[in-house]
PDB file of all heavy atoms in Angstrom:
ATOM      1  N   LYS U   2     -35.780 -45.518  21.408  1.00 94.00           N
ATOM      2  CA  LYS U   2     -37.027 -45.123  22.038  1.00 94.00           C
ATOM      3  C   LYS U   2     -36.999 -43.605  22.241  1.00 94.00           C
ATOM      4  O   LYS U   2     -36.027 -43.070  22.755  1.00 94.00           O
ATOM      5  CB  LYS U   2     -37.063 -45.837  23.399  1.00 94.00           C
ATOM      6  CG  LYS U   2     -38.402 -45.945  24.064  1.00 94.00           C
ATOM      7  CD  LYS U   2     -38.236 -46.445  25.506  1.00 94.00           C
ATOM      8  CE  LYS U   2     -37.954 -47.912  25.639  1.00 94.00           C
ATOM      9  NZ  LYS U   2     -39.145 -48.747  25.587  1.00 94.00           N
ATOM     10  N   GLU U  49     -21.462 -19.015  46.902  1.00 97.00           N
ATOM     11  CA  GLU U  49     -21.627 -20.459  46.690  1.00 97.00           C
ATOM     12  C   GLU U  49     -22.432 -21.067  47.845  1.00 97.00           C
ATOM     13  O   GLU U  49     -23.313 -21.906  47.634  1.00 97.00           O
ATOM     14  CB  GLU U  49     -20.252 -21.137  46.554  1.00 97.00           C
ATOM     15  CG  GLU U  49     -19.496 -20.790  45.274  1.00 97.00           C
ATOM     16  CD  GLU U  49     -18.941 -19.359  45.250  1.00 97.00           C
ATOM     17  OE1 GLU U  49     -18.746 -18.781  46.336  1.00 97.00           O
ATOM     18  OE2 GLU U  49     -18.726 -18.819  44.150  1.00 97.00           O
ATOM     19  N   ASP U  75     -37.327 -41.420  49.221  1.00 98.00           N
ATOM     20  CA  ASP U  75     -36.382 -42.504  48.939  1.00 98.00           C
ATOM     21  C   ASP U  75     -35.142 -42.042  48.194  1.00 98.00           C
ATOM     22  O   ASP U  75     -34.123 -42.737  48.201  1.00 98.00           O
ATOM     23  CB  ASP U  75     -37.078 -43.589  48.108  1.00 98.00           C
ATOM     24  CG  ASP U  75     -38.246 -44.193  48.852  1.00 98.00           C
ATOM     25  OD1 ASP U  75     -38.009 -44.761  49.927  1.00 98.00           O
ATOM     26  OD2 ASP U  75     -39.397 -44.071  48.385  1.00 98.00           O
ATOM     27  N   LEU U  82     -25.349 -25.470  38.332  1.00 97.00           N
ATOM     28  CA  LEU U  82     -24.401 -24.958  37.338  1.00 97.00           C
ATOM     29  C   LEU U  82     -22.983 -24.824  37.865  1.00 97.00           C
ATOM     30  O   LEU U  82     -22.044 -24.617  37.084  1.00 97.00           O
ATOM     31  CB  LEU U  82     -24.850 -23.570  36.860  1.00 97.00           C
ATOM     32  CG  LEU U  82     -26.099 -23.524  35.988  1.00 97.00           C
ATOM     33  CD1 LEU U  82     -26.538 -22.081  35.795  1.00 97.00           C
ATOM     34  CD2 LEU U  82     -25.817 -24.164  34.636  1.00 97.00           C
ATOM     35  N   ASN U  84     -19.253 -25.573  39.245  1.00 97.00           N
ATOM     36  CA  ASN U  84     -18.289 -26.631  38.963  1.00 97.00           C
ATOM     37  C   ASN U  84     -18.490 -27.779  39.954  1.00 97.00           C
ATOM     38  O   ASN U  84     -18.604 -27.560  41.158  1.00 97.00           O
ATOM     39  CB  ASN U  84     -16.852 -26.100  39.119  1.00 97.00           C
ATOM     40  CG  ASN U  84     -16.532 -25.014  38.105  1.00 97.00           C
ATOM     41  OD1 ASN U  84     -17.248 -24.855  37.115  1.00 97.00           O
ATOM     42  ND2 ASN U  84     -15.462 -24.269  38.348  1.00 97.00           N
ATOM     43  N   GLN U  85     -18.534 -28.994  39.417  1.00 97.00           N
ATOM     44  CA  GLN U  85     -18.715 -30.198  40.229  1.00 97.00           C
ATOM     45  C   GLN U  85     -20.000 -30.132  41.060  1.00 97.00           C
ATOM     46  O   GLN U  85     -20.139 -30.808  42.089  1.00 97.00           O
ATOM     47  CB  GLN U  85     -17.499 -30.481  41.118  1.00 97.00           C
ATOM     48  CG  GLN U  85     -16.273 -30.993  40.366  1.00 97.00           C
ATOM     49  CD  GLN U  85     -15.608 -29.912  39.524  1.00 97.00           C
ATOM     50  OE1 GLN U  85     -15.315 -28.830  40.018  1.00 97.00           O
ATOM     51  NE2 GLN U  85     -15.391 -30.186  38.247  1.00 97.00           N
ATOM     52  N   PHE U 100     -28.812 -39.895  47.313  1.00 98.00           N
ATOM     53  CA  PHE U 100     -28.650 -38.715  46.461  1.00 98.00           C
ATOM     54  C   PHE U 100     -28.061 -39.121  45.112  1.00 98.00           C
ATOM     55  O   PHE U 100     -27.074 -39.848  45.046  1.00 98.00           O
ATOM     56  CB  PHE U 100     -27.705 -37.735  47.174  1.00 98.00           C
ATOM     57  CG  PHE U 100     -27.267 -36.571  46.332  1.00 98.00           C
ATOM     58  CD1 PHE U 100     -28.036 -35.414  46.291  1.00 98.00           C
ATOM     59  CD2 PHE U 100     -26.101 -36.615  45.587  1.00 98.00           C
ATOM     60  CE1 PHE U 100     -27.636 -34.325  45.514  1.00 98.00           C
ATOM     61  CE2 PHE U 100     -25.700 -35.532  44.806  1.00 98.00           C
ATOM     62  CZ  PHE U 100     -26.466 -34.389  44.778  1.00 98.00           C
ATOM     63  N   GLY U 102     -26.538 -37.354  41.746  1.00 98.00           N
ATOM     64  CA  GLY U 102     -26.099 -36.088  41.162  1.00 98.00           C
ATOM     65  C   GLY U 102     -26.316 -36.050  39.664  1.00 98.00           C
ATOM     66  O   GLY U 102     -26.004 -37.007  38.956  1.00 98.00           O
ATOM     67  N   TYR U 104     -26.015 -33.660  35.936  1.00 98.00           N
ATOM     68  CA  TYR U 104     -25.583 -32.428  35.288  1.00 98.00           C
ATOM     69  C   TYR U 104     -26.317 -32.248  33.971  1.00 98.00           C
ATOM     70  O   TYR U 104     -26.135 -33.027  33.031  1.00 98.00           O
ATOM     71  CB  TYR U 104     -24.067 -32.356  35.044  1.00 98.00           C
ATOM     72  CG  TYR U 104     -23.786 -30.989  34.489  1.00 98.00           C
ATOM     73  CD1 TYR U 104     -23.840 -29.882  35.328  1.00 98.00           C
ATOM     74  CD2 TYR U 104     -23.622 -30.773  33.131  1.00 98.00           C
ATOM     75  CE1 TYR U 104     -23.708 -28.602  34.830  1.00 98.00           C
ATOM     76  CE2 TYR U 104     -23.485 -29.483  32.629  1.00 98.00           C
ATOM     77  CZ  TYR U 104     -23.532 -28.414  33.490  1.00 98.00           C
ATOM     78  OH  TYR U 104     -23.439 -27.138  32.989  1.00 98.00           O
ATOM     79  N   GLU U 112     -34.604 -32.608  33.723  1.00 98.00           N
ATOM     80  CA  GLU U 112     -33.877 -33.879  33.814  1.00 98.00           C
ATOM     81  C   GLU U 112     -34.240 -34.606  35.107  1.00 98.00           C
ATOM     82  O   GLU U 112     -34.481 -35.816  35.110  1.00 98.00           O
ATOM     83  CB  GLU U 112     -32.365 -33.634  33.746  1.00 98.00           C
ATOM     84  CG  GLU U 112     -31.566 -34.924  33.712  1.00 98.00           C
ATOM     85  CD  GLU U 112     -30.046 -34.717  33.707  1.00 98.00           C
ATOM     86  OE1 GLU U 112     -29.580 -33.578  33.540  1.00 98.00           O
ATOM     87  OE2 GLU U 112     -29.340 -35.729  33.875  1.00 98.00           O
ATOM     88  N   LEU U 119     -39.455 -41.606  36.045  1.00 98.00           N
ATOM     89  CA  LEU U 119     -39.180 -42.968  35.555  1.00 98.00           C
ATOM     90  C   LEU U 119     -38.953 -43.918  36.732  1.00 98.00           C
ATOM     91  O   LEU U 119     -39.459 -45.049  36.751  1.00 98.00           O
ATOM     92  CB  LEU U 119     -37.944 -42.975  34.642  1.00 98.00           C
ATOM     93  CG  LEU U 119     -38.111 -42.351  33.245  1.00 98.00           C
ATOM     94  CD1 LEU U 119     -36.766 -42.255  32.535  1.00 98.00           C
ATOM     95  CD2 LEU U 119     -39.096 -43.154  32.397  1.00 98.00           C
ATOM     96  N   TYR U 124     -40.568 -48.123  40.511  1.00 97.00           N
ATOM     97  CA  TYR U 124     -40.102 -48.715  41.764  1.00 97.00           C
ATOM     98  C   TYR U 124     -40.879 -48.202  42.986  1.00 97.00           C
ATOM     99  O   TYR U 124     -40.429 -48.370  44.118  1.00 97.00           O
ATOM    100  CB  TYR U 124     -38.595 -48.470  41.929  1.00 97.00           C
ATOM    101  CG  TYR U 124     -37.807 -49.105  40.803  1.00 97.00           C
ATOM    102  CD1 TYR U 124     -37.477 -48.380  39.667  1.00 97.00           C
ATOM    103  CD2 TYR U 124     -37.451 -50.450  40.856  1.00 97.00           C
ATOM    104  CE1 TYR U 124     -36.791 -48.964  38.613  1.00 97.00           C
ATOM    105  CE2 TYR U 124     -36.766 -51.044  39.809  1.00 97.00           C
ATOM    106  CZ  TYR U 124     -36.439 -50.303  38.694  1.00 97.00           C
ATOM    107  OH  TYR U 124     -35.767 -50.891  37.652  1.00 97.00           O
ATOM    108  N   GLY U 196     -33.633 -35.812  25.925  1.00 98.00           N
ATOM    109  CA  GLY U 196     -33.046 -35.074  24.810  1.00 98.00           C
ATOM    110  C   GLY U 196     -31.756 -35.671  24.291  1.00 98.00           C
ATOM    111  O   GLY U 196     -31.123 -36.492  24.949  1.00 98.00           O
ATOM    112  N   ARG U 197     -31.392 -35.271  23.076  1.00 98.00           N
ATOM    113  CA  ARG U 197     -30.117 -35.656  22.487  1.00 98.00           C
ATOM    114  C   ARG U 197     -29.203 -34.427  22.483  1.00 98.00           C
ATOM    115  O   ARG U 197     -29.677 -33.296  22.506  1.00 98.00           O
ATOM    116  CB  ARG U 197     -30.323 -36.100  21.041  1.00 98.00           C
ATOM    117  CG  ARG U 197     -31.404 -37.150  20.890  1.00 98.00           C
ATOM    118  CD  ARG U 197     -31.370 -37.794  19.541  1.00 98.00           C
ATOM    119  NE  ARG U 197     -31.859 -36.941  18.465  1.00 98.00           N
ATOM    120  CZ  ARG U 197     -32.082 -37.382  17.234  1.00 98.00           C
ATOM    121  NH1 ARG U 197     -31.862 -38.652  16.947  1.00 98.00           N
ATOM    122  NH2 ARG U 197     -32.527 -36.570  16.301  1.00 98.00           N
ATOM    123  N   ASN U 318     -18.274 -25.187  29.103  1.00 96.00           N
ATOM    124  CA  ASN U 318     -17.718 -24.509  30.264  1.00 96.00           C
ATOM    125  C   ASN U 318     -16.810 -23.373  29.790  1.00 96.00           C
ATOM    126  O   ASN U 318     -16.671 -23.155  28.579  1.00 96.00           O
ATOM    127  CB  ASN U 318     -17.044 -25.494  31.232  1.00 96.00           C
ATOM    128  CG  ASN U 318     -15.698 -26.001  30.771  1.00 96.00           C
ATOM    129  OD1 ASN U 318     -15.132 -25.532  29.777  1.00 96.00           O
ATOM    130  ND2 ASN U 318     -15.167 -26.969  31.481  1.00 96.00           N
ATOM    131  N   MET U 320     -13.677 -23.059  29.776  1.00 94.00           N
ATOM    132  CA  MET U 320     -12.502 -23.486  29.035  1.00 94.00           C
ATOM    133  C   MET U 320     -12.846 -23.909  27.614  1.00 94.00           C
ATOM    134  O   MET U 320     -12.110 -23.622  26.674  1.00 94.00           O
ATOM    135  CB  MET U 320     -11.801 -24.623  29.775  1.00 94.00           C
ATOM    136  CG  MET U 320     -10.438 -24.915  29.182  1.00 94.00           C
ATOM    137  SD  MET U 320      -9.476 -26.028  30.187  1.00 94.00           S
ATOM    138  CE  MET U 320      -9.021 -24.989  31.545  1.00 94.00           C
ATOM    139  N   GLN U 324     -11.298 -22.275  24.328  1.00 94.00           N
ATOM    140  CA  GLN U 324     -10.599 -23.098  23.339  1.00 94.00           C
ATOM    141  C   GLN U 324     -11.280 -23.050  21.971  1.00 94.00           C
ATOM    142  O   GLN U 324     -10.937 -23.813  21.069  1.00 94.00           O
ATOM    143  CB  GLN U 324     -10.475 -24.540  23.847  1.00 94.00           C
ATOM    144  CG  GLN U 324      -9.521 -24.662  25.045  1.00 94.00           C
ATOM    145  CD  GLN U 324      -9.396 -26.074  25.588  1.00 94.00           C
ATOM    146  OE1 GLN U 324     -10.091 -26.980  25.140  1.00 94.00           O
ATOM    147  NE2 GLN U 324      -8.511 -26.271  26.557  1.00 94.00           N
ATOM    148  N   HIS U 333     -34.647 -31.746  27.580  1.00 98.00           N
ATOM    149  CA  HIS U 333     -35.421 -32.892  28.063  1.00 98.00           C
ATOM    150  C   HIS U 333     -36.894 -32.487  28.217  1.00 98.00           C
ATOM    151  O   HIS U 333     -37.193 -31.384  28.654  1.00 98.00           O
ATOM    152  CB  HIS U 333     -34.886 -33.370  29.410  1.00 98.00           C
ATOM    153  CG  HIS U 333     -33.464 -33.841  29.360  1.00 98.00           C
ATOM    154  ND1 HIS U 333     -33.065 -34.898  28.570  1.00 98.00           N
ATOM    155  CD2 HIS U 333     -32.347 -33.403  29.989  1.00 98.00           C
ATOM    156  CE1 HIS U 333     -31.750 -35.087  28.732  1.00 98.00           C
ATOM    157  NE2 HIS U 333     -31.301 -34.201  29.576  1.00 98.00           N
TER     158      HIS U 333
ATOM    159  N   LYS D   2     -36.106 -46.382  51.053  1.00 94.00           N
ATOM    160  CA  LYS D   2     -35.711 -47.607  50.389  1.00 94.00           C
ATOM    161  C   LYS D   2     -34.190 -47.592  50.254  1.00 94.00           C
ATOM    162  O   LYS D   2     -33.607 -46.611  49.816  1.00 94.00           O
ATOM    163  CB  LYS D   2     -36.360 -47.588  49.002  1.00 94.00           C
ATOM    164  CG  LYS D   2     -36.455 -48.905  48.284  1.00 94.00           C
ATOM    165  CD  LYS D   2     -36.880 -48.683  46.834  1.00 94.00           C
ATOM    166  CE  LYS D   2     -38.349 -48.380  46.630  1.00 94.00           C
ATOM    167  NZ  LYS D   2     -39.183 -49.575  46.645  1.00 94.00           N
ATOM    168  N   GLU D  49      -8.423 -31.406  27.269  1.00 97.00           N
ATOM    169  CA  GLU D  49      -9.872 -31.575  27.416  1.00 97.00           C
ATOM    170  C   GLU D  49     -10.447 -32.319  26.206  1.00 97.00           C
ATOM    171  O   GLU D  49     -11.300 -33.196  26.346  1.00 97.00           O
ATOM    172  CB  GLU D  49     -10.545 -30.201  27.584  1.00 97.00           C
ATOM    173  CG  GLU D  49     -10.225 -29.505  28.917  1.00 97.00           C
ATOM    174  CD  GLU D  49      -8.791 -28.976  29.029  1.00 97.00           C
ATOM    175  OE1 GLU D  49      -8.163 -28.733  27.964  1.00 97.00           O
ATOM    176  OE2 GLU D  49      -8.284 -28.827  30.152  1.00 97.00           O
ATOM    177  N   ASP D  75     -30.896 -46.860  23.393  1.00 98.00           N
ATOM    178  CA  ASP D  75     -31.973 -45.909  23.673  1.00 98.00           C
ATOM    179  C   ASP D  75     -31.517 -44.709  24.483  1.00 98.00           C
ATOM    180  O   ASP D  75     -32.192 -43.674  24.491  1.00 98.00           O
ATOM    181  CB  ASP D  75     -33.102 -46.625  24.435  1.00 98.00           C
ATOM    182  CG  ASP D  75     -33.687 -47.752  23.618  1.00 98.00           C
ATOM    183  OD1 ASP D  75     -34.204 -47.460  22.531  1.00 98.00           O
ATOM    184  OD2 ASP D  75     -33.603 -48.915  24.050  1.00 98.00           O
ATOM    185  N   LEU D  82     -15.271 -35.568  35.405  1.00 97.00           N
ATOM    186  CA  LEU D  82     -14.794 -34.671  36.459  1.00 97.00           C
ATOM    187  C   LEU D  82     -14.625 -33.233  35.995  1.00 97.00           C
ATOM    188  O   LEU D  82     -14.437 -32.334  36.820  1.00 97.00           O
ATOM    189  CB  LEU D  82     -13.426 -35.156  36.976  1.00 97.00           C
ATOM    190  CG  LEU D  82     -13.426 -36.434  37.807  1.00 97.00           C
ATOM    191  CD1 LEU D  82     -11.992 -36.895  38.026  1.00 97.00           C
ATOM    192  CD2 LEU D  82     -14.111 -36.196  39.151  1.00 97.00           C
ATOM    193  N   ASN D  84     -15.255 -29.440  34.751  1.00 97.00           N
ATOM    194  CA  ASN D  84     -16.313 -28.465  35.021  1.00 97.00           C
ATOM    195  C   ASN D  84     -17.420 -28.616  33.980  1.00 97.00           C
ATOM    196  O   ASN D  84     -17.160 -28.683  32.782  1.00 97.00           O
ATOM    197  CB  ASN D  84     -15.754 -27.041  34.946  1.00 97.00           C
ATOM    198  CG  ASN D  84     -14.713 -26.773  36.018  1.00 97.00           C
ATOM    199  OD1 ASN D  84     -14.622 -27.506  36.993  1.00 97.00           O
ATOM    200  ND2 ASN D  84     -13.937 -25.704  35.846  1.00 97.00           N
ATOM    201  N   GLN D  85     -18.649 -28.665  34.463  1.00 97.00           N
ATOM    202  CA  GLN D  85     -19.832 -28.809  33.607  1.00 97.00           C
ATOM    203  C   GLN D  85     -19.734 -30.058  32.712  1.00 97.00           C
ATOM    204  O   GLN D  85     -20.368 -30.134  31.656  1.00 97.00           O
ATOM    205  CB  GLN D  85     -20.063 -27.542  32.750  1.00 97.00           C
ATOM    206  CG  GLN D  85     -20.594 -26.338  33.534  1.00 97.00           C
ATOM    207  CD  GLN D  85     -19.528 -25.730  34.442  1.00 97.00           C
ATOM    208  OE1 GLN D  85     -18.429 -25.435  34.001  1.00 97.00           O
ATOM    209  NE2 GLN D  85     -19.856 -25.566  35.719  1.00 97.00           N
ATOM    210  N   GLU D  97     -26.287 -39.912  18.166  1.00 96.00           N
ATOM    211  CA  GLU D  97     -27.632 -39.347  18.032  1.00 96.00           C
ATOM    212  C   GLU D  97     -28.604 -40.045  18.968  1.00 96.00           C
ATOM    213  O   GLU D  97     -29.779 -40.261  18.641  1.00 96.00           O
ATOM    214  CB  GLU D  97     -28.084 -39.430  16.578  1.00 96.00           C
ATOM    215  CG  GLU D  97     -27.186 -38.604  15.677  1.00 96.00           C
ATOM    216  CD  GLU D  97     -27.775 -38.324  14.321  1.00 96.00           C
ATOM    217  OE1 GLU D  97     -28.656 -39.104  13.900  1.00 96.00           O
ATOM    218  OE2 GLU D  97     -27.355 -37.335  13.687  1.00 96.00           O
ATOM    219  N   PHE D 100     -29.359 -38.453  25.719  1.00 98.00           N
ATOM    220  CA  PHE D 100     -28.218 -38.336  26.624  1.00 98.00           C
ATOM    221  C   PHE D 100     -28.663 -37.796  27.978  1.00 98.00           C
ATOM    222  O   PHE D 100     -29.383 -36.810  28.057  1.00 98.00           O
ATOM    223  CB  PHE D 100     -27.198 -37.372  25.999  1.00 98.00           C
ATOM    224  CG  PHE D 100     -26.053 -36.996  26.899  1.00 98.00           C
ATOM    225  CD1 PHE D 100     -24.905 -37.776  26.939  1.00 98.00           C
ATOM    226  CD2 PHE D 100     -26.120 -35.871  27.708  1.00 98.00           C
ATOM    227  CE1 PHE D 100     -23.842 -37.426  27.775  1.00 98.00           C
ATOM    228  CE2 PHE D 100     -25.065 -35.516  28.546  1.00 98.00           C
ATOM    229  CZ  PHE D 100     -23.925 -36.303  28.573  1.00 98.00           C
ATOM    230  N   GLY D 102     -27.019 -36.452  31.478  1.00 98.00           N
ATOM    231  CA  GLY D 102     -25.776 -36.047  32.122  1.00 98.00           C
ATOM    232  C   GLY D 102     -25.799 -36.324  33.615  1.00 98.00           C
ATOM    233  O   GLY D 102     -26.775 -36.031  34.299  1.00 98.00           O
ATOM    234  N   TYR D 104     -23.561 -36.218  37.450  1.00 98.00           N
ATOM    235  CA  TYR D 104     -22.359 -35.814  38.159  1.00 98.00           C
ATOM    236  C   TYR D 104     -22.233 -36.614  39.455  1.00 98.00           C
ATOM    237  O   TYR D 104     -23.058 -36.468  40.367  1.00 98.00           O
ATOM    238  CB  TYR D 104     -22.284 -34.312  38.475  1.00 98.00           C
ATOM    239  CG  TYR D 104     -20.929 -34.073  39.094  1.00 98.00           C
ATOM    240  CD1 TYR D 104     -19.794 -34.103  38.302  1.00 98.00           C
ATOM    241  CD2 TYR D 104     -20.756 -33.981  40.476  1.00 98.00           C
ATOM    242  CE1 TYR D 104     -18.532 -34.018  38.849  1.00 98.00           C
ATOM    243  CE2 TYR D 104     -19.494 -33.890  41.034  1.00 98.00           C
ATOM    244  CZ  TYR D 104     -18.387 -33.912  40.214  1.00 98.00           C
ATOM    245  OH  TYR D 104     -17.138 -33.860  40.758  1.00 98.00           O
ATOM    246  N   GLU D 112     -22.699 -44.896  39.345  1.00 98.00           N
ATOM    247  CA  GLU D 112     -23.962 -44.150  39.225  1.00 98.00           C
ATOM    248  C   GLU D 112     -24.633 -44.452  37.892  1.00 98.00           C
ATOM    249  O   GLU D 112     -25.847 -44.678  37.824  1.00 98.00           O
ATOM    250  CB  GLU D 112     -23.699 -42.643  39.376  1.00 98.00           C
ATOM    251  CG  GLU D 112     -24.987 -41.837  39.382  1.00 98.00           C
ATOM    252  CD  GLU D 112     -24.774 -40.320  39.453  1.00 98.00           C
ATOM    253  OE1 GLU D 112     -23.640 -39.862  39.688  1.00 98.00           O
ATOM    254  OE2 GLU D 112     -25.772 -39.595  39.268  1.00 98.00           O
ATOM    255  N   LEU D 119     -31.651 -49.526  36.461  1.00 98.00           N
ATOM    256  CA  LEU D 119     -33.032 -49.256  36.907  1.00 98.00           C
ATOM    257  C   LEU D 119     -33.926 -48.968  35.700  1.00 98.00           C
ATOM    258  O   LEU D 119     -35.059 -49.460  35.609  1.00 98.00           O
ATOM    259  CB  LEU D 119     -33.057 -48.055  37.867  1.00 98.00           C
ATOM    260  CG  LEU D 119     -32.498 -48.283  39.275  1.00 98.00           C
ATOM    261  CD1 LEU D 119     -32.418 -46.965  40.050  1.00 98.00           C
ATOM    262  CD2 LEU D 119     -33.345 -49.293  40.058  1.00 98.00           C
ATOM    263  N   TYR D 124     -37.988 -50.368  31.681  1.00 97.00           N
ATOM    264  CA  TYR D 124     -38.515 -49.847  30.420  1.00 97.00           C
ATOM    265  C   TYR D 124     -37.958 -50.573  29.194  1.00 97.00           C
ATOM    266  O   TYR D 124     -38.065 -50.082  28.069  1.00 97.00           O
ATOM    267  CB  TYR D 124     -38.245 -48.332  30.333  1.00 97.00           C
ATOM    268  CG  TYR D 124     -38.915 -47.584  31.469  1.00 97.00           C
ATOM    269  CD1 TYR D 124     -38.225 -47.306  32.648  1.00 97.00           C
ATOM    270  CD2 TYR D 124     -40.255 -47.215  31.385  1.00 97.00           C
ATOM    271  CE1 TYR D 124     -38.845 -46.662  33.713  1.00 97.00           C
ATOM    272  CE2 TYR D 124     -40.887 -46.571  32.442  1.00 97.00           C
ATOM    273  CZ  TYR D 124     -40.172 -46.306  33.608  1.00 97.00           C
ATOM    274  OH  TYR D 124     -40.811 -45.678  34.647  1.00 97.00           O
ATOM    275  N   GLY D 196     -26.208 -44.193  47.040  1.00 98.00           N
ATOM    276  CA  GLY D 196     -25.510 -43.662  48.200  1.00 98.00           C
ATOM    277  C   GLY D 196     -26.121 -42.385  48.745  1.00 98.00           C
ATOM    278  O   GLY D 196     -26.917 -41.727  48.078  1.00 98.00           O
ATOM    279  N   ARG D 197     -25.766 -42.086  49.987  1.00 98.00           N
ATOM    280  CA  ARG D 197     -26.161 -40.827  50.614  1.00 98.00           C
ATOM    281  C   ARG D 197     -24.920 -39.922  50.696  1.00 98.00           C
ATOM    282  O   ARG D 197     -23.793 -40.421  50.707  1.00 98.00           O
ATOM    283  CB  ARG D 197     -26.666 -41.087  52.029  1.00 98.00           C
ATOM    284  CG  ARG D 197     -27.707 -42.172  52.093  1.00 98.00           C
ATOM    285  CD  ARG D 197     -28.426 -42.182  53.400  1.00 98.00           C
ATOM    286  NE  ARG D 197     -27.629 -42.724  54.494  1.00 98.00           N
ATOM    287  CZ  ARG D 197     -28.120 -42.981  55.705  1.00 98.00           C
ATOM    288  NH1 ARG D 197     -29.405 -42.734  55.955  1.00 98.00           N
ATOM    289  NH2 ARG D 197     -27.360 -43.473  56.650  1.00 98.00           N
ATOM    290  N   ASN D 318     -15.278 -28.884  44.918  1.00 96.00           N
ATOM    291  CA  ASN D 318     -14.550 -28.295  43.806  1.00 96.00           C
ATOM    292  C   ASN D 318     -13.430 -27.422  44.367  1.00 96.00           C
ATOM    293  O   ASN D 318     -13.258 -27.324  45.594  1.00 96.00           O
ATOM    294  CB  ASN D 318     -15.480 -27.550  42.826  1.00 96.00           C
ATOM    295  CG  ASN D 318     -16.002 -26.230  43.335  1.00 96.00           C
ATOM    296  OD1 ASN D 318     -15.576 -25.714  44.379  1.00 96.00           O
ATOM    297  ND2 ASN D 318     -16.937 -25.661  42.613  1.00 96.00           N
ATOM    298  N   MET D 320     -13.090 -24.278  44.513  1.00 94.00           N
ATOM    299  CA  MET D 320     -13.529 -23.128  45.287  1.00 94.00           C
ATOM    300  C   MET D 320     -14.007 -23.531  46.682  1.00 94.00           C
ATOM    301  O   MET D 320     -13.745 -22.841  47.662  1.00 94.00           O
ATOM    302  CB  MET D 320     -14.626 -22.386  44.538  1.00 94.00           C
ATOM    303  CG  MET D 320     -14.922 -21.048  45.171  1.00 94.00           C
ATOM    304  SD  MET D 320     -15.993 -20.042  44.157  1.00 94.00           S
ATOM    305  CE  MET D 320     -14.878 -19.516  42.878  1.00 94.00           C
ATOM    306  N   GLN D 324     -12.489 -22.132  50.085  1.00 94.00           N
ATOM    307  CA  GLN D 324     -13.342 -21.466  51.074  1.00 94.00           C
ATOM    308  C   GLN D 324     -13.357 -22.211  52.411  1.00 94.00           C
ATOM    309  O   GLN D 324     -14.151 -21.896  53.301  1.00 94.00           O
ATOM    310  CB  GLN D 324     -14.765 -21.298  50.520  1.00 94.00           C
ATOM    311  CG  GLN D 324     -14.828 -20.281  49.372  1.00 94.00           C
ATOM    312  CD  GLN D 324     -16.212 -20.119  48.765  1.00 94.00           C
ATOM    313  OE1 GLN D 324     -17.147 -20.814  49.143  1.00 94.00           O
ATOM    314  NE2 GLN D 324     -16.347 -19.192  47.826  1.00 94.00           N
ATOM    315  N   HIS D 333     -22.093 -45.212  45.505  1.00 98.00           N
ATOM    316  CA  HIS D 333     -23.229 -45.949  44.940  1.00 98.00           C
ATOM    317  C   HIS D 333     -22.842 -47.414  44.743  1.00 98.00           C
ATOM    318  O   HIS D 333     -21.723 -47.711  44.335  1.00 98.00           O
ATOM    319  CB  HIS D 333     -23.654 -45.346  43.605  1.00 98.00           C
ATOM    320  CG  HIS D 333     -24.104 -43.921  43.694  1.00 98.00           C
ATOM    321  ND1 HIS D 333     -25.179 -43.534  44.457  1.00 98.00           N
ATOM    322  CD2 HIS D 333     -23.625 -42.787  43.128  1.00 98.00           C
ATOM    323  CE1 HIS D 333     -25.343 -42.219  44.348  1.00 98.00           C
ATOM    324  NE2 HIS D 333     -24.421 -41.740  43.553  1.00 98.00           N
TER     325      HIS D 333
END
Side-chain angles (χ1 to χ4, degrees):
Chain U
K2 198 190 284 277
E49 291 72 23
D75 299 299
L82 290 171
N84 296 344
Q85 287 72 51
F100 171 88
Y104 185 73
E112 185 183 350
L119 288 172
Y124 299 93
R197 308 193 287 190
N318 75 8
M320 191 170 287
Q324 291 179 355
H333 298 299
Chain D
K2 198 190 283 279
E49 291 72 23
D75 299 299
L82 289 170
N84 296 343
Q85 287 72 51
E97 297 196 337
F100 172 88
Y104 185 73
E112 185 183 350
L119 287 173
Y124 300 93
R197 309 194 285 189
N318 74 9
M320 191 170 285
Q324 291 178 356
H333 299 299

